[in-house]
Amino acid sequence: MTTQMSLILLLLLFVTTFHKSISSNDHRLVRCNEKDQKTLLTFKQGINGSFSRISTWSTEKDCCVWEGVQCDNITGRVTKLDLKGQPNFDDEPIKVLKGEMNLCILELEFLIYLDLSWNEFDLIRIPSIQQNLTHASNLVYLDLSSLGLDTLHISMDNLHWLFILSSLKYLDLSGLDLHKETNWIQKVNTLPSLLELRLSSCKLNNFMLNSSIGYLNSSSIVTLDLSYNNLTFQLLNGFLNLTKDIKHLDLSWNNIHGEIPSSLLNLQHLRHLDVSQNQLQLSIPDEIGQLAHIQDLDLSMNMLSGFIPSTLGNLSSLNSLSIGNNDFSGEVSNLTFSKLSSLDILDLRRLSVVFQFDLDWVPPFQLTEVYLDNTNQGPNFPSWIYTQKSLQYLDLSSSGISFVEFSSLTERIFVELLLSNNSIFEDISNLTLNCSWLGLDHNNFTGGLPNISPIARVVDLSYNSFSGIIPHSWKNLKDLTYLNLWGNRLFGEVSVHLFELIQLQDINLGENEFSGTIPIKMSQNLEVVILRANHFEGSIPLQLFNLSSLFHLDLAHNKLSGSMPKYVYNLTSMITFHLNSWYPATIELFTKGQDYVYDVNPDRRTIDLSANNLSGEVPLELFRLVQVQTLNLSHNNFSGKIPKTIGGMKNMESLDFSNNKFSGEIPQSASLLNFLGYLNLSCNNFDGKIPIGTQLQSFNASSYIGNPKLCGAPLKNCTTKENPKNTTPSTESEDNDTLKESLYLGLGVGFAVGFWGICGSLFLIRKWRHTYYQFIDGVGDKLYVTLMVIMHVEDLALFCKS
């Protein structure tokens, strides 16, 4: 009996195991739903080009194993679709979808999660809601943010399709152009389960404050982001029907005005509040201290005034505090921050308040970021900052500092150290600066250059008194993208390794005493090259004109010689316009006879080779760089003619060919340069008539003087001389000897009669004698005038040489 029971139990165990095995195999054998597969393939039809995930979508494979697709293990229905793009911000975006985004994808009935963000669609197709989009109520997560990276904003005409997403809890449409959807608030209000709404940078229309339908019914929302929309409503009590449970509210970068309403400060669960970059006015209410759970508070870049309330010091949970760029008055002391033990980021930049920190104050927090630029901190460096052992970002630019204990400071700041525009007088040549972003420009640093850590990406040491050579160790700065040493006392040859740094985009060595030749090998990523006002000699390297990203080249005021390279220029950025990289500091531009300073994101195309010893004809390739806006070849020895192709450089704003040896006529095509604001063709050998055009006649004569054979407005009018008529020689021959004798005889008799006739008359007739003397005086006057003209020409020659 026992044996039988054992056999029965064993059989039951086997059956159970076998059943589970079959069930498990059945689950693995469940294939993608045919309807879902058809919908996915319809979506794929609108995609252009190859994409690693989409290219695997084929009927030869089960759609549940397609890249980015996830199915339910039992039903085989598609539940998750993750096709988020993967942009490469250092270069062109990679692994992105392009073409048409078809919202037929919402026909996937059991889809819970959909992420199509960070792609490059140029069109959004919304199918008929009534016919197709009736089964998408299971969708919980939808992210369509940051589409259309090339065009910045891709337009979505309406949001009518939102009403079917009754289960939606997360919605992110940031970056979509929704300005045509005038009732976006009503459409969002149809989502009863919505917890997180992100509509940043959507070009939203303003709230209709005079109508109840204009209020966003956010009774369920815990996260709301309406930043970067240029909203101009007044921040009134109850402007939104905010739930008491809201935790994240971002209204930054709009034009919201009015005062901070007390209702906003009653949101007890608020963790993140950002109303920066608006036009909020009056003072911060004392009720700010009621936000007991607030962690991130950003009121910066507004028009807030009055005293900074002491109740800020009660926000013990505060992690980040930004109140800079306002009009506060009064003073700030260490008592304001005495309870902020959790503080990690402090932004008080551009405040006119008086800072009263005790010299021996040790804060209760350890900050990683401090922004005190454009405040009055000096002359001594704030002593409490030395106590911050975890500091990574420090900005004390323009704060009146003249003394810093660098050895105590630079050892631990590994990201950003900005001390620009102070009066720091110190020799730091024996230090190694370990940060990635270093800004010590516009100070009084002396001695040699410091050693720089290999992690450095941005180095600005311009406008100081550094001397000596560039340290050999700088060849190890493999990540360096921006280097500015303008306006120091550096000398010697520049190491070829510096130009070879692969990541280098911007190099500015202007206003120093560097010598030698310009290195031949250089980074192919260079966009800005400034070597102005040094002692570089030799020829211009061919490689400079093969840098496809280069848009600003300044080699002026050196000792360069020889001719310009003659071959196909690969300066793509000067032929086809595109936005260049963001720049961390200013770039010096010299144009229109003045110094210009361009801030971040410069888009001006410039070539300046002036004040060198360059010669020969200017290659035709130079005049094919149609995006160039400033071209300066003055004070060289260039010769030849200006080609007709100069008329194609229609973006030209500043053109200087003065003090060269250019010749020939100014081409008629030059009159097509309609944006010229500065022109100087003086002191050359141009001839003929100045072409008639709107711009060329708008300049005064100084733009053309020093070209003796040039005429036409604004110079003197051109005169046409008639050629003398041809005379027909006599066909009869005469005796040469007889002719000569008769000629000599006639001359002799004529001279004798004329001499005695005139002289005798002068002696005998008084009236004739007075007329003769007047004639002599007139000849003297003419000689004087001629002498003055010659002296004026010599002065003009000296002007052209200057």
Side-chain angles (χ1 to χ4, degrees):
M1 187 68 178
T2 305
T3 304
Q4 290 178 344
M5 289 296 295
S6 299
L7 289 174
I8 292 174
L9 291 173
L10 183 62
L11 181 60
L12 289 173
L13 179 63
F14 173 77
V15 171
T16 303
T17 306
F18 181 74
H19 174 73
K20 288 184 178 180
S21 177
I22 292 177
S23 299
S24 178
N25 288 334
D26 286 344
H27 290 171
R28 286 195 296 267
L29 292 175
V30 171
R31 295 182 59 83
C32 173
N33 179 271
E34 183 177 347
K35 182 180 178 181
D36 289 355
Q37 178 173 289
K38 182 179 179 181
T39 301
L40 291 173
L41 291 176
T42 301
F43 173 80
K44 180 186 177 183
Q45 290 176 359
I47 306 302
N48 298 330
S50 60
F51 177 68
S52 59
R53 293 177 174 179
I54 293 295
S55 62
T56 64
W57 289 14
S58 170
T59 54
E60 298 177 358
K61 293 182 180 181
D62 182 5
C63 75
C64 289
V65 298
W66 291 355
E67 289 287 336
V69 179
Q70 183 175 315
C71 299
D72 184 89
N73 289 333
I74 299 177
T75 64
R77 303 305 296 264
V78 175
T79 58
K80 182 177 181 178
L81 191 59
D82 186 356
L83 293 176
K84 183 177 182 178
Q86 300 178 25
N88 182 352
F89 291 104
D90 293 329
D91 199 355
E92 293 298 322
I94 60 173
K95 293 185 179 180
V96 294
L97 296 172
K98 297 183 179 182
E100 174 186 288
M101 186 186 78
N102 194 334
L103 282 182
C104 70
I105 205 72
L106 296 179
E107 296 177 22
L108 298 171
E109 300 176 41
F110 292 88
L111 189 66
I112 297 175
Y113 181 101
L114 175 60
D115 189 347
L116 296 174
S117 62
W118 290 101
N119 283 295
E120 288 188 1
F121 296 110
D122 51 30
L123 177 66
I124 298 178
R125 181 178 296 278
I126 303 176
S128 173
I129 298 176
Q130 289 76 13
Q131 295 179 3
N132 299 321
L133 303 183
T134 58
H135 302 288
S137 58
N138 290 307
L139 194 63
V140 173
Y141 182 101
L142 177 59
D143 190 346
L144 302 180
S145 63
S146 303
L147 304 180
L149 295 181
D150 284 341
T151 57
L152 298 181
H153 281 79
I154 181 174
S155 179
M156 179 176 283
D157 294 344
N158 66 77
L159 298 176
H160 299 316
W161 49 275
L162 281 180
F163 81 93
I164 60 173
L165 307 180
S166 58
S167 300
L168 198 64
K169 294 183 178 180
Y170 179 97
L171 176 62
D172 191 348
L173 302 179
S174 298
L176 290 180
D177 184 351
L178 300 178
H179 81 276
K180 293 183 180 180
E181 176 52 88
T182 58
N183 294 319
W184 63 271
I185 296 178
Q186 291 176 273
K187 302 304 186 298
V188 172
N189 284 341
T190 62
L191 303 174
S193 303
L194 195 62
L195 296 177
E196 187 162 344
L197 175 62
R198 297 184 181 274
L199 297 177
S200 175
S201 189
C202 288
K203 300 184 179 180
L204 300 178
N205 63 299
N206 287 322
F207 289 100
M208 297 175 290
L209 293 177
N210 59 347
S211 172
S212 60
I213 62 172
Y215 293 94
L216 183 60
N217 183 9
S218 56
S219 57
S220 64
I221 291 179
V222 295
T223 296
L224 177 62
D225 184 356
L226 299 178
S227 59
Y228 291 89
N229 277 299
N230 200 35
L231 298 170
T232 58
F233 64 89
Q234 187 172 1
L235 198 59
L236 300 171
N237 282 319
F239 79 105
L240 297 174
N241 184 18
L242 293 172
T243 174
K244 295 291 185 179
D245 295 327
I246 193 166
K247 296 180 180 179
H248 181 112
L249 178 60
D250 192 344
L251 300 174
S252 62
W253 290 87
N254 286 287
N255 285 311
I256 302 171
H257 55 281
E259 62 181 319
I260 300 176
S262 58
S263 61
L264 196 62
L265 304 177
N266 293 329
L267 304 175
Q268 296 299 311
H269 296 280
L270 203 59
R271 301 287 193 275
H272 177 102
L273 175 60
D274 189 348
V275 290
S276 62
Q277 192 63 48
N278 280 287
Q279 298 184 40
L280 297 176
Q281 299 169 319
L282 301 180
S283 60
I284 301 177
D286 289 335
E287 290 83 359
I288 193 79
Q290 297 176 7
L291 298 176
H293 300 288
I294 192 75
Q295 296 176 354
D296 301 307
L297 178 61
D298 195 342
L299 308 178
S300 63
M301 293 182 284
N302 277 285
M303 302 166 62
L304 297 170
S305 58
F307 297 108
I308 298 175
S310 58
T311 53
L312 271 177
N314 298 329
L315 305 178
S316 58
S317 299
L318 203 58
N319 179 263
S320 174
L321 175 62
S322 299
I323 57 175
N325 282 276
N326 278 291
D327 300 324
F328 297 123
S329 57
E331 65 179 41
V332 173
S333 69
N334 40 280
L335 296 177
T336 308
F337 308 100
S338 59
K339 298 179 182 179
L340 306 184
S341 58
S342 300
L343 200 62
D344 183 62
I345 300 172
L346 179 62
D347 180 359
L348 303 177
R349 68 184 73 194
R350 296 185 181 275
L351 293 184
S352 299
V353 298
V354 177
F355 291 88
Q356 296 286 357
F357 295 113
D358 295 339
L359 294 178
D360 58 351
W361 177 52
V362 178
F365 46 72
Q366 283 293 319
L367 301 175
T368 59
E369 300 181 30
V370 176
Y371 304 101
L372 293 171
D373 54 291
N374 292 274
T375 59
N376 186 12
Q377 300 290 331
N380 292 321
F381 189 87
S383 58
W384 66 269
I385 294 182
Y386 292 122
T387 68
Q388 304 301 293
K389 306 300 182 182
S390 304
L391 204 56
Q392 297 295 300
Y393 296 82
L394 176 62
D395 190 350
L396 275 165
S397 302
S398 304
S399 55
I401 294 174
S402 58
F403 176 75
V404 180
E405 294 180 8
F406 265 89
S407 58
S408 302
L409 185 67
T410 60
E411 296 176 353
R412 54 183 176 272
I413 299 180
F414 294 102
V415 182
E416 181 178 302
L417 175 61
L418 302 180
L419 297 174
S420 308
N421 293 290
N422 283 292
S423 302
I424 303 173
F425 188 91
E426 195 166 344
D427 183 347
I428 57 174
S429 57
N430 61 337
L431 296 179
T432 298
L433 306 182
N434 294 313
C435 48
S436 176
W437 189 321
L438 179 64
L440 303 182
D441 55 286
H442 293 82
N443 278 286
N444 297 314
F445 288 102
T446 60
L449 293 171
N451 291 315
I452 305 293
S453 168
I455 66 173
R457 295 177 61 87
V458 174
V459 175
D460 190 348
L461 305 179
S462 60
Y463 293 99
N464 279 288
S465 297
F466 288 111
S467 59
I469 62 174
I470 297 177
H472 186 67
S473 61
W474 282 26
K475 70 177 183 179
N476 298 319
L477 305 181
K478 304 299 182 183
D479 295 325
L480 190 67
T481 60
Y482 177 94
L483 175 62
N484 191 351
L485 299 178
W486 175 280
N488 281 285
R489 301 172 184 173
L490 303 168
F491 55 81
E493 295 189 8
V494 179
S495 171
V496 65
H497 300 293
L498 193 62
F499 279 83
E500 282 185 308
L501 297 174
I502 297 176
Q503 301 298 329
L504 191 62
Q505 297 177 4
D506 187 326
I507 183 169
N508 187 345
L509 306 181
E511 291 284 356
N512 281 285
E513 299 177 13
F514 291 114
S515 57
T517 58
I518 301 174
I520 295 177
K521 295 183 179 180
M522 54 190 65
S523 167
Q524 291 300 304
N525 292 314
L526 280 170
E527 297 181 352
V528 174
V529 176
I530 301 177
L531 305 180
R532 185 185 187 93
N534 281 286
H535 304 298
F536 289 107
E537 56 188 9
S539 59
I540 301 176
L542 297 174
Q543 289 75 8
L544 268 176
F545 295 92
N546 195 36
L547 301 174
S548 60
S549 299
L550 187 69
F551 71 89
H552 184 86
L553 176 62
D554 189 349
L555 307 180
H557 292 270
N558 278 287
K559 299 178 180 180
L560 301 173
S561 58
S563 59
M564 289 184 63
K566 295 183 180 181
Y567 77 116
V568 177
Y569 290 177
N570 190 33
L571 300 173
T572 307
S573 288
M574 297 192 187
I575 300 174
T576 304
F577 181 81
H578 68 276
L579 289 176
N580 293 89
S581 301
W582 177 78
Y583 282 85
T586 58
I587 289 181
E588 308 289 341
L589 296 180
F590 295 83
T591 182
K592 301 182 182 180
Q594 300 177 353
D595 297 355
Y596 275 64
V597 177
Y598 265 66
D599 213 330
V600 295
N601 274 335
D603 58 1
R604 189 176 189 86
R605 274 60 183 156
T606 301
I607 296 179
D608 193 341
L609 307 179
S610 61
N612 281 287
N613 295 315
L614 300 170
S615 58
E617 295 187 4
V618 179
L620 289 174
E621 287 77 10
L622 183 68
F623 298 96
R624 295 191 178 112
L625 306 178
V626 295
Q627 293 295 338
V628 170
Q629 295 157 286
T630 296
L631 178 59
N632 191 346
L633 304 180
S634 65
H635 294 276
N636 279 289
N637 294 305
F638 288 118
S639 58
K641 299 180 178 180
I642 299 178
K644 297 179 181 179
T645 51
I646 194 174
M649 306 180 78
K650 295 184 179 181
N651 295 291
M652 189 69 68
E653 298 178 12
S654 176
L655 181 65
D656 193 344
F657 284 177
S658 64
N659 290 275
N660 278 286
K661 299 177 181 178
F662 288 109
S663 59
E665 295 184 348
I666 301 173
Q668 181 64 40
S669 61
S671 62
L672 300 176
L673 305 180
N674 295 324
F675 292 103
L676 272 182
Y678 178 83
L679 175 67
N680 194 348
L681 301 178
S682 64
C683 302
N684 279 285
N685 296 315
F686 292 116
D687 56 35
K689 185 178 181 180
I690 298 174
I692 297 176
T694 304
Q695 290 299 108
L696 297 184
Q697 270 66 48
S698 67
F699 302 103
N700 57 39
S702 63
S703 295
Y704 302 99
I705 61 174
N707 294 282
K709 298 181 181 180
L710 195 62
C711 62
L715 300 179
K716 63 181 180 179
N717 293 331
C718 299
T719 56
T720 56
K721 296 181 179 180
E722 296 183 0
N723 293 327
K725 296 181 179 179
N726 294 331
T727 57
T728 304
S730 174
T731 58
E732 297 179 0
S733 61
E734 299 180 357
D735 186 271
N736 291 334
D737 293 336
T738 304
L739 181 61
K740 289 180 180 180
E741 290 178 1
S742 301
L743 178 63
Y744 293 152
L745 180 62
L747 288 173
V749 174
F751 176 78
V753 173
F755 177 80
W756 288 110
I758 294 175
C759 291
S761 300
L762 291 175
F763 283 115
L764 297 175
I765 305 174
R766 177 182 298 177
K767 184 176 181 180
W768 284 25
R769 190 161 58 248
H770 286 295
T771 302
Y772 173 73
Y773 292 148
Q774 291 177 356
F775 170 75
I776 294 299
D777 289 339
V779 171
D781 292 339
K782 290 182 179 180
L783 288 174
Y784 175 77
V785 171
T786 302
L787 180 61
M788 292 297 100
V789 171
I790 293 174
M791 293 177 64
H792 175 71
V793 172
E794 291 178 350
D795 290 340
L796 183 61
L798 292 173
F799 167 77
C800 292
K801 291 180 180 179
S802 63

